[in-house]
């Protein structure tokens, strides 16, 4: 079975600073990887996803992530954060033949401070 | 285009009472998912529908939880009777459901926050 680990439960950062949210996964078969964002009292919104091809994936709101197969990682980055980026970020994985079932990590709370 | 609609947004009940949640997916989306999200955790899949058929309900506690998706459009998730540990957010999501696609984007509703007293 597949699993996702988000080691950082909270990441504080000052506005306009860069940020990296870490995600590691475990799976015995090929994977698809996703990052979702959840604002307070809202559902999850897709930031970006990796299916195949280029390992650097660009998403909405200036976020990008890089798939590293050897390190089984899919870290999320943004070169300059804004106060409005404060939210919970979830990494998720699905596997080929898995019926589009998403397995989520426990989430990372990004808090952007002035 | 309207997103995934869920109601109610909030529900407070006493333990042992029944409760139901409703979800209307994005028009044209064949696949519908119900997730449970406990505080401080990521969502966990409860059940997945392909049209009217429940194709994955392995994580649904069938002794007290039930779901239906009549006519392959909107869906209802029910808990009877509710327990204290059922307090959580119940999320509904939908996707196009193209055959063989394991990475269709799932679009989430705002969720129903259930509090069991």
């Amino acid at each position: 079975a597949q699993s996702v680990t988000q080691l950082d439960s909270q990441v504080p950062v000052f506005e306009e600073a860069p940020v990296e949210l870490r995600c590691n996964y475990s799976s015995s078969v090929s994977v698809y990887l996703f990052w979702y964002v959840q604002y307070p009292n809202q559902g999850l919104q897709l930031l970006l996803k990796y299916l195949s091809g280029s390992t650097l994936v660009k998403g909405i709101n200036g976020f990008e992530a890089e798939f590293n197969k050897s390190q089984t990682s899919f870290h999320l980055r943004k070169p300059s954060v804004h106060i409005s980026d404060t939210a919970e970020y979830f990494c998720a994985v699905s596997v080929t033949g898995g019926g589009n079932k998403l397995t989520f990590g426990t989430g990372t709370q990004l808090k952007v401070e002035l | 285009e309207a997103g995934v609609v869920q109601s109610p947004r909030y529900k407070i009940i006493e333990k042992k009472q029944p409760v139901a949640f409703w979800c209307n997916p994005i028009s044209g989306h064949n696949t519908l998912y119900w997730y449970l999200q406990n505080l401080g955790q990521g969502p966990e899949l409860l059940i997945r529908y392909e049209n009217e058929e429940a194709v994955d309900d392995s994580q649904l506690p069938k002794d007290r939880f039930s779901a239906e998706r009549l006519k392959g459009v909107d869906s209802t998730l029910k808990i009877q009777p509710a327990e204290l540990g059922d307090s959580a957010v119940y999320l509904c999501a939908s996707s196009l459901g193209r055959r063989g696609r394991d990475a269709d984007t799932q679009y989430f509703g705002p969720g129903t926050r259930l509090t069991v007293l």
Side-chain angles (χ1 to χ4, degrees):
Chain A
Q2 64 274 16
S3 66
V4 175
T5 301
Q6 294 182 249
L7 289 173
D8 304 308
S9 60
Q10 293 186 27
V11 173
V13 62
F14 288 109
E15 192 172 30
E16 298 184 2
V19 69
E20 178 180 85
L21 305 183
R22 297 182 293 169
C23 171
N24 288 89
Y25 68 92
S26 174
S27 174
S28 58
V29 298
S30 297
V31 297
Y32 305 108
L33 293 157
F34 306 78
W35 276 99
Y36 280 85
V37 60
Q38 186 176 33
Y39 299 101
N41 298 316
Q42 294 187 29
L44 282 73
Q45 179 184 7
L46 181 69
L47 279 176
L48 49 79
K49 64 181 179 182
Y50 171 78
L51 304 182
S52 65
S54 174
T55 57
L56 183 63
V57 181
K58 294 188 181 298
I60 62 172
N61 300 341
F63 285 94
E64 63 180 33
E66 185 156 19
F67 171 59
N68 188 318
K69 188 175 182 179
S70 63
Q71 296 187 8
T72 60
S73 68
F74 190 55
H75 299 333
L76 181 71
R77 303 185 184 100
K78 186 169 182 178
S80 176
V81 295
H82 189 267
I83 196 80
S84 60
D85 292 322
T86 295
E88 188 88 19
Y89 291 79
F90 292 95
C91 182
V93 63
S94 67
V95 299
T96 54
N100 206 25
K101 176 181 177 179
L102 288 175
T103 299
F104 286 87
T106 53
T108 297
Q109 175 66 42
L110 174 64
K111 185 173 182 181
V112 181
E113 302 168 352
L114 294 173
Chain B
E1 177 183 290
V4 176
V5 179
Q6 290 187 249
S7 69
R9 289 295 311 278
Y10 305 90
K11 189 73 176 180
I12 301 174
I13 62 172
E14 295 190 348
K15 62 180 180 181
K16 301 185 181 179
Q17 294 299 306
V19 65
F21 314 123
W22 177 81
C23 172
N24 188 259
I26 293 173
S27 177
H29 281 195
N30 296 322
T31 307
L32 183 145
Y33 315 76
W34 282 103
Y35 287 88
L36 165 68
Q37 186 176 22
N38 286 305
L39 186 64
Q41 300 294 316
E44 299 174 25
L45 182 69
L46 288 172
I47 189 168
R48 173 170 66 94
Y49 281 93
E50 297 284 350
N51 299 303
E52 309 86 23
E53 182 183 3
V55 295
D56 184 357
D57 63 356
S58 57
Q59 302 302 311
L60 189 72
K62 298 180 184 64
D63 57 336
R64 297 184 300 107
F65 286 65
S66 64
E68 60 182 14
R69 191 185 184 196
L70 301 176
K71 301 181 181 179
V73 181
D74 55 353
S75 175
T76 302
L77 178 68
K78 298 178 182 178
I79 308 175
Q80 183 172 8
E83 297 178 352
L84 294 177
D86 296 332
S87 294
V89 176
Y90 293 82
L91 294 166
C92 179
S94 69
S95 66
L96 281 170
R98 289 167 288 188
R99 186 174 295 278
R101 289 295 298 269
D102 294 318
D104 272 348
T105 297
Q106 295 185 27
Y107 296 85
F108 286 79
T112 296
R113 183 177 298 276
L114 174 67
T115 302
V116 182
L117 303 175

